[in-house]
Amino acid sequence: MRVWRTSRQFGKCAAFLAIFMLILSAQLVKTASEYDPYNVLGVSRSASQAEIKRAYKRLAREWHPDKNKDPSAEDMFIKISKSYEILSNEERRSNFDRFGQMDENQPFGQSQHHGFRSFHNSFYFDESFFHFPRNRDFSDSKYMLRLAQFNSEVLPDSHKRPYLIKVTSEWCFACIHIEPVWKETVQELEPLGVGIGIVDLGFDRALAKQLGAYRAPSIIGVVNGRVTFFHQAVVREHLRQFVEDLLPQKLVMKITDDNYMAFLENWHVENKPRLLLFDQVPIVPLLYKLTAFTFRDYVRFGFVDQGGTGSTRLLQQYNINTYAPTMLLFKEDTVKPVDVIQARGMKRQIMDEFVSNNKFLQVPRLVSQQLFDELCPVKQFHRRRKYCVLLITGDDPAYLPANKAFLDFASANSKDVLRFAYVYQRQQQPLCQALLQNQGAHSAQVVILERRSQAGKVLYRSVSGGWNGSEEDKYHLHEQLELLQKDPTYLTSDATLPELNNEMAPIFIIRWMNAAYDYMLQIYDDLLYSNWREMMPILSLIFSALFIVFGTVIIQAFSEPGESKPQKPKAKPKEQTRTEDDASSRASTSSRPPKKDFVEVTELTGITYTSNLVKLRPGHINVLLVLTNASKSALLRKFAKEVFSFSGSQTLHFSFLNADKHRHWMPSLLRLGCDGAQSQSHSDDEEESSNYMGYVLALNGHKKYFCLFRPVFTGDDGSDSSSDTSFSSDSRRKSRSKSRSSSHSRSRSRSREDGSGSRRGSSRATSIEVHHKLDRLGLWMERLMEGTLPRIRVPAWPTLVDDTAEG
């Protein structure tokens, strides 16, 4: 009995469950059919894109809320737009055909839960139990942006109006909290002309990456193609101020009784009409700023505070009603406005229409190709022919009467098919030469033309006789215009016009400074608000450069002064210059241990003379020993012993010169040096080779200077021991700052003593040990490395001649 009851209860539950599933299936089918985009647009599933587009346009015109007063028109229009958005994209259309997917953010294969989700928005079970979706407001779909749409529509349009973009995602709970404020802001700013956009992080990550938005919610402003992030609390007043701060400064000029005449008369310089806005508020309303931003290339805007004390005369002169906002538009006439509008509730649409109808002066000056294209458009249909009457004139005061007469003629003969303009021949020479056929005009000329192609092809006819502004000229021009309207073939000449120069374009330095200013503002903004993901490449580059600079300075500061790296075959010029100019930087290289246990000493001959001296590498020094055949062995051993501790330097080379072979080289070198007077006083006897035996020279071939070491005599002659070279005990006790002239004078006296000693007998000289001549060479080498030796400069190195070969 209990089993029967249990089975009966189970049957009832199964029946109820079956009924529930049937109701659920019916709800799902009903929901799916209700939101079928094919049914909404009234097309078949095999319809082409052209058929879908035609159906969308027809239904959009029919259900547009501005034309259809049905209460359900707005909802129907949104459904039509949503359906077209899905079916116009092949990928989304394929997803719907395969999975029945409506929401582009819904994962594939989950369409079977859609009806159940509509049945209960937050209570359902699928792969993820804890799945809490936030269905996007259906009205937001018209603001959704895609990457292609942003680049092709929003970025170009941002040069005419600012855009406010919200970055959101399906999993953003903070986005729900700012939604009411966002809707209020959109309802306030969109009628003023602010563009609105929404970017979904989960759906279009490429666009979010391009904008630099990596988190939701984020609010972004786009003006002139530049992206700026909003960083304040999401309050409607803050968002409004954010949009206002995005606009360039000085869009609207404050006008008072003191400056209004200068403002109106400046039309000639800027080549723009002037628009005066009168209102009771002291601050320029955002609506006026947005309108001024849109038409900033065409009209100059000024604002007058009606409640201020500085505008009384202005209000009386133009009879302004202080109870409603008023707009006055002036062109060439600064006394009487060409158009006036006054309304209590000034709307953006009214202002746009008012300014669009008065974008140009009555006779504007052609200052750019864009202005030329708008004033004189290319002919498309016969019914839309437009002729451009162009005055080619100059900016000298002599042309003013003719220009004024042309303006009066244009004001009296304005028609829809005629556009009057003028151009300065000096500023637009290529254009004027093409129309005047390279004939210089000494007076103003009038040309009637019709543009035939964007490539610059025009049909034109020059008015004969020029233009002086006389009544006869006006009658003649009026007659030709009448003939042109009756017979379009009246234009008999054709030409291809070059592109006009942009006279109003800022110079390169101004554009560069503006770009640099914007870039610095962007860097400051990123640093201030820690947008590190965008700043990482820039910061990495900056820190790398700073590390290289400061690292180089620190290494140089703590390195030994004489330490230098091994020279490469092709050294860098900076390293060469630094090595040449600072000889003292090599001073401590003597402390470096020699790499070999011997010293390489090469002979200076005609073959090695160029490489070892004349073309010696910059920064290198050749230490040269002068010897004879008799003293060669002893002097070389002593020389190698004295310079061995310095052979570790990479910038020192050691050589010897045989004075028996090249006995004229030393006297020639001394005569070329700074102590040439000393050398010229030597007699012919002093040119013997024995006079220079034991001399050592430090030769810098690149800088053309040398340092001189004179040998020391020790032994029987006590006077000789005292007559040392520049390294005698007496000279060592003196200050190193002694002048070079005193050192040279002592050298001359010692040279004479040495010479007289040699003449008293050669046998006595041979009895002295020759190697003692280089006893003090080590001290001299230390001072050489310190850079404290006097330098004797020569204009050029003497040639090395083999005297034995001549003999």
Side-chain angles (χ1 to χ4, degrees):
M1 190 68 172
R2 183 178 299 174
V3 175
W4 180 80
R5 288 180 179 177
T6 303
S7 60
R8 185 177 179 182
Q9 292 176 355
F10 179 78
K12 291 181 178 180
C13 293
F16 288 139
L17 181 62
I19 295 172
F20 177 76
M21 293 301 296
L22 288 174
I23 296 174
L24 179 63
S25 300
Q27 176 71 15
L28 187 145
V29 172
K30 179 181 178 181
T31 305
S33 60
E34 182 180 356
Y35 293 104
D36 188 353
Y38 292 101
N39 293 338
V40 173
L41 294 181
V43 296
S44 63
R45 290 184 173 269
S46 60
S48 63
Q49 287 293 335
E51 295 174 347
I52 294 174
K53 188 174 184 179
R54 284 195 298 268
Y56 165 72
K57 288 185 176 181
R58 176 177 54 81
L59 294 174
R61 286 194 298 267
E62 179 182 352
W63 290 96
H64 197 281
D66 293 341
K67 298 180 179 179
N68 195 324
K69 301 305 180 181
D70 193 324
S72 61
E74 183 176 358
D75 294 336
M76 187 61 186
F77 181 77
I78 293 174
K79 291 181 181 180
I80 293 170
S81 301
K82 184 69 174 180
S83 302
Y84 178 71
E85 183 180 346
I86 294 174
L87 298 183
S88 62
N89 187 288
E90 293 295 340
E91 182 179 357
R92 275 174 279 174
R93 182 180 180 182
S94 176
N95 293 336
F96 178 80
D97 293 341
R98 293 170 59 191
F99 307 109
Q101 182 181 347
M102 278 297 301
D103 190 357
E104 62 272 14
N105 294 295
Q106 178 184 350
F108 296 157
Q110 294 184 8
S111 62
Q112 64 271 18
H113 303 291
H114 183 80
F116 196 29
R117 294 177 187 177
S118 300
F119 179 75
H120 197 290
N121 188 38
S122 299
F123 185 83
Y124 67 91
F125 300 88
D126 59 359
E127 294 90 343
S128 176
F129 180 80
F130 300 101
H131 190 67
F132 304 100
R134 180 182 60 84
N135 288 340
R136 184 184 298 115
D137 193 344
F138 204 59
S139 61
D140 287 348
S141 60
K142 65 178 180 179
Y143 300 121
M144 291 298 297
L145 296 178
R146 307 291 182 266
L147 179 62
Q149 178 188 4
F150 178 81
N151 291 327
S152 61
E153 299 178 10
V154 176
L155 281 182
D157 196 39
S158 67
H159 294 270
K160 297 180 180 179
R161 61 172 177 165
Y163 271 82
L164 194 64
I165 300 175
K166 179 183 70 173
V167 180
T168 183
S169 67
E170 286 294 319
W171 305 99
C172 175
F173 293 100
C175 301
I176 302 176
H177 297 296
I178 70 170
E179 195 70 24
V181 179
W182 172 260
K183 288 185 176 180
E184 292 178 1
T185 306
V186 169
Q187 293 174 1
E188 178 186 1
L189 296 182
E190 190 176 19
L192 301 181
V194 179
I196 305 298
I198 297 177
V199 176
D200 194 317
L201 279 176
F203 179 69
D204 202 332
R205 293 189 178 274
L207 176 56
K209 183 178 180 181
Q210 178 176 328
L211 292 173
Y214 300 99
R215 60 187 178 185
S218 296
I219 296 179
I220 299 173
V222 182
V223 171
N224 290 329
R226 178 188 170 192
V227 176
T228 305
F229 280 81
F230 175 75
H231 299 288
Q232 298 179 351
V234 183
V235 183
R236 187 174 62 177
E237 291 75 13
H238 291 172
L239 290 173
R240 180 187 178 94
Q241 186 62 41
F242 172 67
V243 172
E244 192 167 351
D245 293 339
L246 291 175
L247 301 174
Q249 300 295 325
K250 299 180 180 179
L251 281 173
V252 182
M253 182 178 177
K254 286 290 188 71
I255 303 299
T256 62
D257 292 339
D258 299 329
N259 62 352
Y260 82 97
M261 283 305 300
F263 173 77
L264 296 178
E265 292 176 353
N266 207 30
W267 66 267
H268 185 76
V269 178
E270 296 186 359
N271 197 39
K272 297 176 182 178
R274 331 301 281 177
L275 182 64
L276 284 180
L277 302 164
F278 294 84
D279 207 335
Q280 289 282 356
V281 293
I283 301 176
V284 182
L286 179 59
L287 174 62
Y288 296 163
K289 290 185 177 181
L290 292 171
T291 307
F293 178 74
T294 302
F295 297 97
R296 66 189 185 280
D297 294 332
Y298 302 97
V299 179
R300 190 73 169 96
F301 287 76
F303 178 76
V304 181
D305 179 15
Q306 298 180 8
T309 58
S311 58
T312 306
R313 184 176 58 185
L314 195 59
L315 297 176
Q316 293 177 355
Q317 179 175 349
Y318 296 107
N319 194 20
I320 302 299
N321 184 359
T322 58
Y323 296 100
T326 307
M327 291 194 300
L328 305 181
L329 194 136
F330 297 84
K331 293 187 177 181
E332 287 87 349
D333 188 358
T334 60
V335 177
K336 182 179 179 181
V338 296
D339 204 351
V340 180
I341 186 173
Q342 190 174 45
R344 287 187 177 275
M346 193 71 71
K347 302 295 184 181
R348 177 61 190 268
Q349 184 178 0
I350 298 175
M351 297 184 65
D352 287 351
E353 184 178 356
F354 178 76
V355 179
S356 298
N357 295 333
N358 299 278
K359 288 197 304 183
F360 306 108
L361 297 169
Q362 296 215 356
V363 183
R365 177 162 59 96
L366 297 183
V367 295
S368 65
Q369 185 65 35
Q370 178 184 358
L371 182 59
F372 187 36
D373 294 338
E374 295 190 44
L375 282 175
C376 305
V378 178
K379 187 203 79 168
Q380 297 178 352
F381 306 102
H382 290 285
R383 293 179 300 174
R384 300 181 59 184
R385 287 182 181 272
K386 288 189 180 296
Y387 301 101
C388 189
V389 183
L390 184 63
L391 173 66
I392 301 176
T393 182
D395 54 355
D396 298 334
Y399 290 95
L400 289 179
N403 298 345
K404 182 63 171 59
F406 188 77
L407 173 61
D408 296 338
F409 179 85
S411 302
N413 296 274
S414 59
K415 297 180 180 180
D416 292 338
V417 296
L418 295 178
R419 295 290 178 87
F420 293 87
Y422 70 100
V423 62
Y424 286 151
Q425 186 173 1
R426 184 181 304 173
Q427 279 76 8
Q428 303 291 345
Q429 290 185 1
L431 173 70
C432 299
Q433 290 176 359
L435 293 176
L436 299 178
Q437 298 180 354
N438 297 324
Q439 296 179 2
H442 300 287
S443 61
Q445 301 287 329
V446 177
V447 177
I448 306 172
L449 60 89
E450 179 187 12
R451 299 186 64 191
R452 288 303 183 96
S453 69
Q454 292 289 350
K457 184 178 180 181
V458 297
L459 295 178
Y460 72 97
R461 185 186 185 98
S462 299
V463 179
S464 60
W467 177 265
N468 295 321
S470 62
E471 294 297 327
E472 183 180 356
D473 291 341
K474 294 181 180 179
Y475 177 78
H476 186 48
L477 177 58
H478 185 271
E479 184 181 23
Q480 295 204 19
L481 292 176
E482 292 291 335
L483 292 175
L484 176 64
Q485 296 182 42
K486 295 178 180 178
D487 183 11
T489 61
Y490 184 71
L491 302 179
T492 56
S493 303
D494 62 338
T496 301
L497 301 182
E499 186 172 349
L500 273 69
N501 302 323
N502 191 354
E503 301 177 22
M504 297 299 180
I507 59 177
F508 172 76
I509 186 66
I510 300 298
R511 288 180 292 174
W512 184 86
M513 291 176 63
N514 292 335
Y517 176 75
D518 293 339
Y519 187 68
M520 293 301 296
L521 283 181
Q522 182 179 358
I523 293 178
Y524 172 77
D525 185 72
D526 292 339
L527 287 176
L528 184 62
Y529 296 103
S530 302
N531 191 2
W532 298 110
R533 193 188 296 256
E534 286 292 309
M535 288 299 299
M536 281 306 296
I538 300 176
L539 293 176
S540 176
L541 179 63
I542 293 175
F543 282 112
S544 299
L546 293 176
F547 177 78
I548 294 173
V549 173
F550 287 103
T552 305
V553 173
I554 293 173
I555 291 174
Q556 290 181 353
F558 288 94
S559 62
E560 296 182 0
E563 187 175 355
S564 59
K565 296 182 179 180
Q567 295 293 326
K568 298 180 180 180
K570 293 183 178 179
K572 295 182 179 180
K574 292 183 178 178
E575 297 176 353
Q576 293 177 356
T577 306
R578 187 171 61 249
T579 309
E580 294 169 10
D581 294 339
D582 194 4
S584 63
S585 64
R586 306 182 302 271
S588 63
T589 53
S590 59
S591 61
R592 181 178 296 178
K595 296 183 179 180
K596 302 178 182 178
D597 56 355
F598 62 93
V599 180
E600 293 183 359
V601 184
T602 60
E603 183 178 2
L604 196 65
T605 62
I607 299 176
T608 62
Y609 184 75
T610 301
S611 60
N612 286 358
L613 179 58
V614 178
K615 294 185 178 180
L616 190 64
R617 281 181 291 182
H620 288 228
I621 292 179
N622 192 352
V623 181
L624 178 68
L625 169 66
V626 181
L627 49 76
T628 60
N629 291 329
S631 61
K632 179 177 181 179
S633 178
L635 287 180
L636 279 179
R637 285 196 299 270
K638 180 66 173 179
F639 180 76
K641 180 180 179 180
E642 293 289 330
V643 302
F644 177 77
S645 59
F646 303 89
S647 61
S649 174
Q650 298 293 329
T651 59
L652 291 181
H653 306 273
F654 303 95
S655 305
F656 70 90
L657 177 72
N658 194 331
D660 291 337
K661 296 180 181 180
H662 313 284
R663 58 178 176 270
H664 296 291
W665 188 81
M666 276 294 293
S668 301
L669 178 64
L670 295 177
R671 281 195 299 269
L672 292 172
C674 296
D675 54 348
Q678 166 208 346
S679 302
Q680 291 176 0
S681 66
H682 288 181
S683 61
D684 295 337
D685 296 336
E686 291 177 331
E687 293 186 4
E688 295 297 324
S689 62
S690 60
N691 290 341
Y692 302 105
M693 180 180 62
Y695 276 55
V696 179
L697 298 91
L699 307 169
N700 190 320
H702 182 73
K703 302 292 287 186
K704 293 185 176 61
Y705 71 82
F706 66 93
C707 302
L708 183 62
F709 170 85
R710 294 182 176 83
V712 178
F713 283 89
T714 60
D716 298 336
D717 193 353
S719 63
D720 290 341
S721 93
S722 64
S723 63
D724 196 355
T725 65
S726 61
F727 291 98
S728 63
S729 59
D730 181 68
S731 63
R732 287 197 308 270
R733 288 192 299 267
K734 296 182 180 292
S735 172
R736 291 185 179 180
S737 63
K738 181 175 287 188
S739 63
R740 187 177 297 177
S741 60
S742 62
S743 174
H744 290 172
S745 63
R746 293 196 307 272
S747 301
R748 288 196 295 268
S749 63
R750 286 192 290 270
S751 298
R752 295 191 187 96
E753 292 174 4
D754 295 344
S756 62
S758 63
R759 287 193 297 272
R760 284 196 296 268
S762 61
S763 60
R764 179 173 171 274
T766 57
S767 65
I768 302 174
E769 293 182 358
V770 178
H771 67 272
H772 287 303
K773 289 177 174 288
L774 304 180
D775 280 349
R776 301 187 182 277
L777 181 61
L779 299 175
W780 183 84
M781 287 292 297
E782 288 182 2
R783 292 193 58 188
L784 172 66
M785 302 308 295
E786 292 174 359
T788 58
L789 289 177
R791 299 176 181 179
I792 305 173
R793 300 190 178 274
V794 294
W797 298 111
T799 58
L800 189 66
V801 180
D802 192 347
D803 297 332
T804 59
E806 294 178 357

